[in-house]
Structure formats: structure tokens, C-alpha cells
Amino acid sequence: MKNQILTVFLSLALLAGCGDAEKRGNIRSGGDASAEFTEVLPVTGTFINLPYQDVRNKYTNPTQIDNTDPQMWAAKVREMHAMGMEYLVFMSVANECKAYYPSRLMEWHYPSCSQSPVDAIMDEAAKHGMKVFMSTGWAKDQDDNLRDPEIKGRQIRMMEELAGLYGEHPAFYGWYLPVEDCFGPVLTDYAVEAVNALTARARELTPSAKIMISPYGIFNSDFDDPRYEKQIARLTVDIIAYQDEIGCVRERYPLPRLRENWKKLRAIHDKTGIAMWANCESFAWEKGTNDRSSALIPASYSRFLAQQVAASAGGAECIISFIFCGLVEDPSSPYQLGQPHWSQEFHKEYMAWKNGSPYWKAAEMGFKGGLRDGSGAPCATASEDPSDNRWTEYEPGTHRIVVKTEGADSEVILRMLNSAKDGIVPPQKVFLYACDSADGEGARLLGIKDTPVWPYNRHDTFVDTVLFELDDIEGDYLMIVFTSDSKVCLDRIF
């Protein structure tokens, strides 16, 4: 392949504020503050999915195990606590007219001689001071339709029974209503009435309990329609944990618009008094998207970190996820659910970010727009859309990019687009040299880095980061060299 030599005179940007808590600040709402200074929220809640429903649960609820084992669920609760989870949310506590708790309304889905999985989870959560949202579903199955009076009545009867069993339990915090109505373009009257009917009974049974719903549809919500805010204000819930829909890939490049949608929702919620949480989807798809014959697998953590940043900057008060429990796996767990290897990798990378890894803090600052040039001015970074003119495209081949090192620090950051569906893939390796001129004379190798490899990227578009940490940079220029068989999109050199 023919070498292509490109000389680019750019100020080498500095990594400003990474790992510096004072500079990051602690701003709850992103509406009035730059994302650069918004503290990025960790994930403090996860859904728990008890039943095996379809192939989507191939790894999270494998059919080869006893999914009612109380010891396994107690261990999973301990692992979630170790990851920093404060909230556990039951997706459902019954399925196909069988209960995962000691019900009198229906048969049990576990041996009568054994502790129920719901009891095991509640008791272990209480030991660690965790807060559990109890589900009111499913009356029948995952396709419960509240337009059916029988289904609606069964959910209320389940709520009454569950309140009697767990309403005074120390881990009981509130109710999750599995009424996943679409909020776009505008929430329907029927959806409001269905939610409020369940909420009214919940208030009677457990007056101090928090009530949460987790709807979808913000990707096609009409925020400018006055009815949108009006319908949300009519809801009598305490928390709306919006699905961010990045895992579901409702749009080809969903992240750029999601950032703006969070801010629009924040402005609405500031008027309604309802808490705004983010339900950040941590999953990708093994085969087709939004397909019950396709298994859920962990996304690239780089993609998920961008979701955390977007929700935090947009003013979310808390981030929960569908789904960490059963998808993100502690490598030391004796109960390895999740996709082999990659569920552990997500865990390692997420915990590294939580523990202040320089690499992941550099990636975070890239998503926040906190990377700066030599003068201290923030640099706008490219988004997860190949048409963003801040990306520089390189055709397949070998490329040498020479950068003037004005004001150089000891960190060099590369941001590369990963959009396999568009034929855009980072090169496998990046070589960094110091040199004496713009022609690359006197090149001295400073380091070689592998780029991140996340093989399940067929549906997503996200940004990968390469970080060089150097003791010293001697020379007036840096040269980045890479060879790729695919098109490469590179942000400016930071």
C-alpha cells in the first residue's frame, strides 16, 4: 500500500481536569452548565429479570440453570452491591401465571421446599441497605396489555398481595409499574389513565412508597407540542426513568440527538416535580436488533460511557440500567451469567472508570468536551456521526500524520470513530514518534498502542480512545502512523 504523508499543524491539546474532582464539580442539572464541569453519574441501579422469556435472555437467564436458586440470587445481590448499586428493580415477579414469590393467587415457579427468589433477593438487599422496587407484573406474560380489564385487575390483585408480603420489608422502597408505554410523539390519555389507576391503589396500600415507570419513545417525542408536558404533568408517579434507547438503536446515529433530548426533558421535569432518571441500556444484540430471536450481549463500555455522560449532562438525577444484573459479570463470581468473556470485560472497564483509570477519564473528558488546546481553550470534539465535519477521513492504507507540539504535555489522546456498519473501523495499532521536522526527520519511536477491540459492533456507532502517557516529549513534532484495511475517521489530535 502506498504511503500517504499528511502534515497537520495543530496545537497539541492538553488533558484538562481528568481525575480532578474539584474541576469536575457536582452539578445535578445539565441544563445551565457546561457538560465539561458536570460530574458523570455512576450506575446505581439495575433491573433484575427473573423469568426466561425468549432468546434475548440466552445469557442473562440461561435455560441450563435453575433460575429460582436462592443462593445464586443472594450472590448476585452481593455482586451488585459491590459494583455500587443502591437500587434493584424487579422487571417482573411472575410469568405465565406462575409466581416467583409465595403467592396465593397462582402456582409457584419454584419448589415449595425452597425459599423464593424474590424473598432471597429482598433479604440479601436488606443486609446491604439496598432499596428494591417491587414489580406489579406480569399478570400473564411480557405482553401484558392494560387495555384488557382482566390483565389490569390481575396486576392490582398482585399488588395487593405483594404489599401484604413485602410492604413492611426493610428493603422495600417502592413500585415499578411495568407499563412501558411509548411517550412519543405524545403520551396517550389511555396510558396516563392506566398508570394512574395502578398508582392510586399503590398509594392506598403503601403511602410512603416511591412509584416508578420506565417508558420508551423519547427518540420520536414531540417536545415542542404543549400536550407533551401536559401529559407528563398528569402522571401521579414519583420517578420516570426514561429508556435512552441506545441499545435498541431506534436511530442510525442516536447519541448526538439523545444529548439534546435529555436537556429538553430536564426543562419539562423542572416544571412537573417528577424526578427524571435515566435508564441507560447497556446491551447490544448478538444478531438482529429489537428481535426476540436475538440474544442481548454487553455493549462496548466506550459506548455506554458516552450514554452516562449524556444523561449526566442532560440533568438526570440517577442512572439505572437495563441491565447490569446478568449482563455485566464480576470475573470472580461463581455464577457466571452473561456472554462469555465480554460480560467480564465490561465489568473490568466499568470498574476501572469508577476507580479513576486515566484511560477512561481521558475518554470521559472527550465525551464531555473537556479536552483543551495549548492556550487552555476547550476543543469541540466530534460526535458519533460520520457526517460530523470534525472527523477527518482516511482511506485504507498507511498514513503518517505530523503534529506540531506547541504547549505539549505528556499525554496524547486520539479519538477514533467505530462504525462497522459504515465500514469505518479504527486501525489495529497506532505508532507514535517524536521527530524534528514536519517531514518526519529524526523520528524516534515513543510508543505503540493497540486500539480497543469490541467485536460485537455491527449495530452501534461509538468513539474509541487511544491514550499515550509519556514521561517526556523531546522534539518539535509528533508523528502518528497507522495502517488500516478499512476507512478510518480520526478526530483532531489532543
Side-chain angles (χ1 to χ4, degrees):
M1 290 179 287
K2 184 178 179 180
N3 290 351
Q4 181 180 0
I5 300 178
L6 300 175
T7 303
V8 185
F9 290 93
L10 299 172
S11 296
L12 183 69
L14 302 180
L15 178 60
C18 285
D20 188 335
E22 291 182 3
K23 292 182 180 179
R24 290 206 313 272
N26 185 10
I27 301 171
R28 182 187 66 82
S29 171
D32 300 322
S34 166
E36 178 190 352
F37 297 106
T38 303
E39 182 178 6
V40 177
L41 299 173
V43 179
T44 50
T46 177
F47 283 82
I48 291 179
N49 199 20
L50 292 173
Y52 180 91
Q53 302 142 253
D54 48 54
V55 177
R56 290 176 296 178
N57 308 117
K58 172 182 173 182
Y59 299 114
T60 56
N61 301 66
T63 57
Q64 298 88 344
I65 67 169
D66 175 8
N67 202 40
T68 68
D69 181 354
Q71 290 186 328
M72 181 190 75
W73 285 113
K76 287 298 167 193
V77 171
R78 290 192 295 271
E79 291 165 20
M80 291 301 104
H81 178 258
M83 291 175 65
M85 299 299 163
E86 180 180 358
Y87 304 100
L88 300 177
V89 185
F90 281 111
M91 174 59 68
S92 64
V93 292
N95 189 42
E96 298 176 351
C97 299
K98 289 188 177 181
Y100 288 83
Y101 66 94
S103 173
R104 293 184 178 180
L105 291 173
M106 60 193 102
E107 295 180 39
W108 298 358
H109 215 311
Y110 60 95
S112 59
C113 60
S114 174
Q115 184 186 31
S116 80
V118 172
D119 282 299
I121 290 166
M122 294 292 288
D123 291 348
E124 192 66 31
K127 292 178 184 177
H128 302 285
M130 300 170 80
K131 302 169 184 175
V132 179
F133 286 90
M134 184 61 66
S135 174
T136 61
W138 288 301
K140 183 180 179 184
D141 56 30
Q142 60 183 312
D143 296 315
D144 274 2
N145 180 4
L146 287 181
R147 290 175 174 81
D148 183 337
E150 183 178 345
I151 294 294
K152 183 177 177 180
R154 183 66 170 262
Q155 283 204 3
I156 288 177
R157 290 194 297 275
M158 286 177 62
M159 180 188 289
E160 292 167 347
E161 181 173 63
L162 290 162
L165 289 169
Y166 303 109
E168 300 298 324
H169 195 286
F172 177 78
Y173 183 68
W175 298 98
Y176 164 63
L177 309 182
V179 185
E180 291 189 359
D181 285 289
C182 181
F183 266 38
V186 175
L187 186 62
T188 65
D189 288 336
Y190 182 82
V192 172
E193 292 160 5
V195 169
N196 288 349
L198 291 176
T199 301
R201 187 61 180 134
R203 302 279 188 214
E204 292 172 353
L205 294 166
T206 52
S208 62
K210 300 293 184 182
I211 301 174
M212 180 177 72
I213 59 173
S214 186
Y216 66 96
I218 64 173
F219 82 101
N220 69 338
S221 290
D222 187 356
F223 299 106
D224 295 326
D225 188 328
R227 293 176 300 164
Y228 193 91
E229 179 182 322
K230 179 180 176 182
Q231 293 295 79
I232 290 180
R234 289 180 58 203
L235 292 169
T236 55
V237 299
D238 299 293
I239 303 162
I240 303 179
Y242 294 91
Q243 299 174 34
D244 71 359
E245 300 174 305
I246 300 301
C248 289
V249 199
R250 302 289 188 184
E251 303 172 85
R252 189 168 181 85
Y253 309 116
L255 269 163
R257 200 154 74 94
L258 174 66
R259 294 182 176 97
E260 298 306 313
N261 286 344
W262 280 131
K263 294 175 183 177
K264 292 175 182 178
L265 282 170
R266 180 71 262 164
I268 290 171
H269 275 258
D270 284 342
K271 300 175 186 177
T272 64
I274 300 173
M276 185 185 92
W277 288 15
N279 177 2
C280 292
E281 297 174 341
S282 57
F283 59 84
W285 299 87
E286 192 168 47
K287 295 179 181 178
T289 59
N290 305 307
D291 185 343
R292 292 185 179 183
S293 64
S294 178
L296 298 183
I297 56 178
S300 159
Y301 180 61
S302 186
R303 189 203 87 183
F304 189 79
L305 178 57
Q307 294 168 246
Q308 288 176 254
V309 173
S312 302
E317 296 155 54
C318 178
I319 294 179
I320 62 174
S321 179
F322 188 89
I323 186 171
F324 264 43
C325 184
L327 188 81
V328 180
E329 287 295 288
D330 184 338
S332 66
S333 173
Y335 300 97
Q336 285 297 321
L337 303 179
Q339 186 188 42
H341 179 72
W342 296 104
S343 289
Q344 295 185 18
E345 287 300 305
F346 190 115
H347 180 278
K348 291 176 186 175
E349 293 177 353
Y350 173 71
M351 295 305 290
W353 170 79
K354 280 198 71 179
N355 293 325
S357 154
Y359 172 82
W360 286 112
K361 289 303 176 182
E364 175 189 315
M365 293 302 288
F367 294 129
K368 292 167 71 173
L371 302 177
R372 297 171 178 269
D373 64 20
S375 69
C379 303
T381 50
S383 69
E384 298 82 357
D385 185 339
S387 67
D388 189 324
N389 60 17
R390 287 168 290 201
W391 292 115
T392 300
E393 291 188 3
Y394 299 91
E395 294 300 322
T398 298
H399 300 272
R400 291 174 169 83
I401 306 166
V402 181
V403 182
K404 192 168 179 61
T405 61
E406 294 178 355
D409 201 358
S410 58
E411 291 155 328
V412 177
I413 301 165
L414 309 181
R415 303 180 78 246
M416 297 181 171
L417 191 64
N418 193 327
S419 188
K421 60 191 175 187
D422 295 305
I424 301 170
V425 181
Q428 291 182 335
K429 287 185 179 291
V430 179
F431 302 79
L432 180 67
Y433 295 84
C435 48
D436 299 324
S437 73
D439 296 325
E441 294 179 357
R444 300 173 296 282
L445 182 64
L446 297 176
I448 306 171
K449 292 285 186 179
D450 292 341
T451 58
V453 176
W454 198 271
Y456 299 94
N457 61 349
R458 69 177 70 181
H459 306 298
D460 293 328
T461 297
F462 52 91
V463 176
D464 279 326
T465 302
V466 175
L467 171 66
F468 287 92
E469 295 180 281
L470 307 170
D471 292 331
D472 193 15
I473 299 176
E474 293 185 1
D476 295 327
Y477 298 86
L478 291 174
M479 182 167 66
I480 293 94
V481 180
F482 59 84
T483 300
S484 179
D485 296 331
S486 304
K487 182 185 292 186
V488 172
C489 284
L490 179 66
D491 203 347
R492 63 178 294 170
I493 313 301
F494 299 102

